[in-house]
Amino acid sequence: MTPAPPFFLLLLCLIGAHAAVDLRTAAAMAAGLCKTRPTDLVFIIDSSRSVRPSEFEQVKVFLAKVIEGLDVGPNATRVGVVNYASRVKNEVSLKTHRTKAGLVKAVTKIEPLSTGTMTGLAIQFALNVAFSEGEGARVKSPDISKVAIIVTDGRPQDNVKEVAQRARDAGIEIFAIGVGRVDMSTLKQMASDPLDDHVDYVESYSVIEKLTKKFQEAFCVSDLCATGDHDCEQVCISSPGSYKCACKDGFTLMDDGRSCSACSNSATDVVFLIDGSKSVRPENFELVKKWINQIIDKLDVSDSKAHVGLVQYSSSVRQEFPLGRYNNKKDLKDAVKKMAYMERGTMTGQALRYLSDNSFSAGQGARPGVTKVGIVFTDGRSQDYIGDAAKKAKENGFKMYAVGVGNAVEDELKEIASEPTGEHYFYTADFKTMTQIAKKLQINICQEEDPCECDSLVKFQKKVEDALQALTKKLESMSKRIALLENKIV
C-alpha cells in the first residue's frame, strides 16, 4: 500500500488551497524563484492636514520598501505616485524613472500638501492622467497589470464609490489601505474584489511597514517550473507568470498541452469501470468524475484514435455510454459530468464480468485489432468474488488498471491489475489526492508489432546472413586458387 502523504501535504489540505498558494509564494520568494509580473503601478497617497509630517515620512518609507521588491524597468514594472489632499499633484509619472534608485530618490523628495481629503478627485486623476499613455502607461493587455494602491487616514470629502467603479471597470485593480480613524466603508467602496485581499487597516502610520511583505507577495510571480507547481508530464518551460509544456525527443505533445505520447498514431478502446457504491459518498463521487475527465484530457480522443466508454456499478451494473458514442473530449467530459450516483453495494466481480462479456464487444462499439484498456476504480472490498472475472479480463487481452481509494483492498487491486502489477495498480488514502494518480497513469499504448511482419523480417535477415556466409566461402576458395596459381607461375 502506498505510504500516507507527508505531513506537509496533509497540512496544505487542511488549511486549504488559498493558504497553500501563500505558502508556495513565500517559499518561492525565499528561494529566489519569484519575479514581479509586468505592472503599471500607481500609488495614490493622502497628504491631507490630518497626516502629520512625521507620519508622511513613514508613508514614503513604506513606498520605498515596496518598490525595492519590484522588477523595475521599461518592460517590467513602471511606478507612478499621485499625491493628494484638496488638490492632486502628479509627483512621479510612470514614464519618469526606470530604475529603483531613481524612483526611491524621487519618493523621498515628495512633500505633503496639508489641506483637505478629496480621495474621489485623486482616483479620477489617476484614471484620466496617471494611467494614460501620455504619462507612460502601456496599452491595455492581459500581460500587463494595472494596479493602484491608495493610502488614506480619513473620511473622503467627496464621493468615491462611482469613480472607483469606473476605475475598476477600466481594468485597474485597487488596493485600499486605511490608517487610524479611517472610514472603513469608503475603503470597501474603493477596493477591488475580493475585499479580504484588497482592503487593509493599520492602527497608525508607525506600523504601516508591516504591509510591505503583503504587497511584495501580491506582485510575486513564481517560476512555476522551478517550484514544481505545474502539471507537465515531461518538460516544463518557464514564461513570465506562466509556463508551457514540452516533450523529450521521440515523444509528441498531446492535445491537452501537458501529456506526451510516443505513439501518436495508436488507436485505443478505453472503458472506465467506476464504483458508485454508497461508501463513496456524493461529494467524493464528484471528485471521481473530475478524475475521469483528467485522464480523458490525456487521451488523443478522435474517431480514429482513442474511444472511451463508461460503466458504473454498485449492487448492479449500468452502462453510462458505450465506446465510440462521443469522439471529442468536450462531449465526453460533459457526459461524464452528467453521470448520476447509484449508491448501494459493491459487486466488483459482477462488474468485471460485464466488462469482459459486454463492454469490449463489437456490439458496444469496440474495434477489432485495437488495444483494449480497462480502468477499474473502487473504494472498498468487493461483496462478491472477483478472481475468475479478473483473470478472464486479462486472458481476453485487456490491459487492466486498478485504482483504489480509502478502504480499497490492496490484494484485490493487484488481482485486477495487469502485469507488471506495480505499473498497473494505484492506491491513495484520500479522494482529494486522486489527481496524483491521474498524472501517473499512462494509457497511451503503442500498437504491438505485427507478428507476421516480424517473422518476415527474421526470415529476410536469415537469408542475408546465409548469402553472406556463402559469399565468404566463395571468396576464401578464390583466394586459395589465386595463391596456387601464383606458386605455379613462380
Side-chain angles (χ1 to χ4, degrees):
M1 187 176 292
T2 303
F7 175 77
F8 182 69
L9 292 179
L10 291 174
L11 179 63
L12 292 185
C13 292
L14 289 171
I15 63 179
H18 180 72
V21 171
D22 288 344
L23 287 171
R24 284 198 298 270
T25 302
M29 292 181 69
L33 301 173
C34 175
K35 292 186 177 182
T36 56
R37 64 175 67 88
T39 306
D40 288 344
L41 169 62
V42 174
F43 291 95
I44 304 173
I45 55 174
D46 178 358
S47 67
S48 58
R49 66 175 65 91
S50 61
V51 183
R52 300 185 184 92
S54 60
E55 293 173 333
F56 193 71
E57 290 301 312
Q58 290 166 333
V59 174
K60 293 193 291 184
V61 171
F62 166 67
L63 264 60
K65 288 195 172 183
V66 173
I67 290 168
E68 285 294 342
L70 303 174
D71 290 335
V72 174
N75 298 318
T77 297
R78 302 179 185 182
V79 178
V81 182
V82 171
N83 184 14
Y84 80 94
S86 294
R87 61 187 179 91
V88 181
K89 184 179 180 183
N90 201 25
E91 300 282 4
V92 178
S93 293
L94 290 169
K95 65 181 179 181
T96 307
H97 298 284
R98 302 300 175 90
T99 66
K100 290 182 188 180
L103 270 170
V104 171
K105 186 175 181 181
V107 167
T108 62
K109 294 181 179 180
I110 299 173
E111 296 294 331
L113 301 175
S114 300
T115 50
T117 310
M118 301 293 282
T119 309
L121 180 66
I123 297 172
Q124 187 67 60
F125 180 89
L127 178 60
N128 293 345
V129 180
F131 282 105
S132 69
E133 291 181 42
E135 290 299 313
R138 285 163 282 193
V139 177
K140 188 175 180 180
S141 162
D143 299 325
I144 308 294
S145 300
K146 306 283 184 183
V147 178
I149 300 177
I150 303 171
V151 182
T152 181
D153 79 333
R155 181 185 296 273
Q157 295 171 334
D158 57 356
N159 184 279
V160 299
K161 185 175 181 180
E162 293 179 1
V163 66
Q165 185 62 57
R166 288 197 295 274
R168 295 194 298 268
D169 290 344
I172 300 171
E173 182 181 10
I174 301 178
F175 292 87
I177 300 174
V179 183
R181 299 178 65 182
V182 70
D183 179 45
M184 293 300 295
S185 64
T186 56
L187 291 181
K188 294 176 181 178
Q189 289 175 9
M190 293 187 288
S192 296
D193 287 326
L195 293 179
D196 287 346
D197 293 338
H198 291 85
V199 175
D200 287 285
Y201 172 79
V202 292
E203 299 81 4
S204 67
Y205 283 103
S206 62
V207 291
I208 195 171
E209 282 184 51
K210 73 179 184 180
L211 296 178
T212 301
K213 184 179 178 182
K214 177 237 172 110
F215 284 98
Q216 287 176 340
E217 291 181 2
F219 295 118
C220 171
V221 178
S222 299
D223 182 340
L224 299 179
C225 292
T227 60
D229 192 20
H230 64 85
D231 54 3
C232 295
E233 185 178 310
Q234 291 188 356
V235 179
C236 180
I237 301 172
S238 291
S239 58
S242 186
Y243 66 92
K244 62 180 180 179
C245 300
C247 298
K248 298 175 183 177
D249 290 343
F251 290 81
T252 302
L253 189 67
M254 302 293 283
D255 291 341
D256 62 8
R258 304 187 298 271
S259 308
C260 298
S261 173
C263 318
S264 57
N265 296 318
S266 62
T268 312
D269 285 346
V270 180
V271 174
F272 289 91
L273 190 62
I274 300 301
D275 180 356
S277 60
K278 61 177 176 283
S279 60
V280 174
R281 299 204 302 270
E283 65 273 18
N284 289 331
F285 193 71
E286 292 303 310
L287 294 176
V288 173
K289 290 195 283 187
K290 289 181 180 179
W291 173 78
I292 294 170
N293 281 340
Q294 278 185 292
I295 296 173
I296 288 173
D297 273 333
K298 297 176 69 174
L299 298 173
D300 193 0
V301 177
S302 71
D303 185 57
S304 60
K305 296 183 181 178
H307 286 190
V308 177
L310 178 60
V311 175
Q312 184 185 173
Y313 73 94
S314 59
S315 296
S316 59
V317 181
R318 183 175 74 202
Q319 178 176 261
E320 302 292 343
F321 52 83
L323 289 161
R325 176 174 291 179
Y326 306 106
N327 288 325
N328 65 76
K329 290 183 183 180
K330 182 183 182 303
D331 290 345
L332 258 178
K333 292 168 74 173
D334 286 344
V336 171
K337 290 175 185 176
K338 292 175 183 176
M339 178 171 56
Y341 180 35
M342 291 176 71
E343 299 191 71
R344 300 176 64 190
T346 311
M347 303 294 282
T348 311
Q350 181 183 341
L352 285 167
R353 284 191 294 276
Y354 182 92
L355 181 81
S356 293
D357 297 340
N358 298 282
S359 297
F360 288 118
S361 67
Q364 296 300 320
R367 294 166 290 178
V370 169
T371 303
K372 308 293 191 293
V373 177
I375 302 175
V376 182
F377 165 80
T378 182
D379 86 322
R381 182 184 295 276
S382 177
Q383 293 173 338
D384 61 352
Y385 180 61
I386 69 166
D388 292 341
K391 182 180 179 182
K392 183 178 179 181
K394 289 180 282 190
E395 286 177 348
N396 286 345
F398 308 153
K399 195 173 188 68
M400 299 296 294
Y401 290 88
V403 178
V405 177
N407 293 320
V409 179
E410 187 176 13
D411 287 343
E412 289 187 356
L413 298 177
K414 290 180 178 179
E415 195 166 8
I416 295 168
S418 292
E419 295 290 343
T421 309
E423 296 178 9
H424 293 86
Y425 93 94
F426 303 87
Y427 173 82
T428 180
D430 191 343
F431 280 86
K432 293 178 182 177
T433 57
M434 289 180 68
T435 301
Q436 300 304 317
I437 292 178
K439 290 180 181 179
K440 294 175 184 176
L441 203 152
Q442 303 294 325
I443 306 171
N444 297 310
I445 300 167
C446 296
Q447 289 188 352
E448 295 180 1
E449 288 183 280
D450 185 336
C452 297
E453 291 181 3
C454 185
D455 287 344
S456 298
L457 184 61
V458 170
K459 290 176 181 177
F460 174 75
Q461 185 178 355
K462 184 71 167 60
K463 286 182 179 179
V464 170
E465 288 174 351
D466 290 345
L468 286 172
Q469 286 178 357
L471 182 60
T472 301
K473 288 180 179 179
K474 286 182 179 180
L475 287 173
E476 289 174 352
S477 177
M478 287 179 65
S479 297
K480 290 178 180 179
R481 289 181 182 180
I482 291 170
L484 289 170
L485 185 59
E486 287 177 345
N487 291 331
K488 287 180 180 180
I489 294 172
V490 172

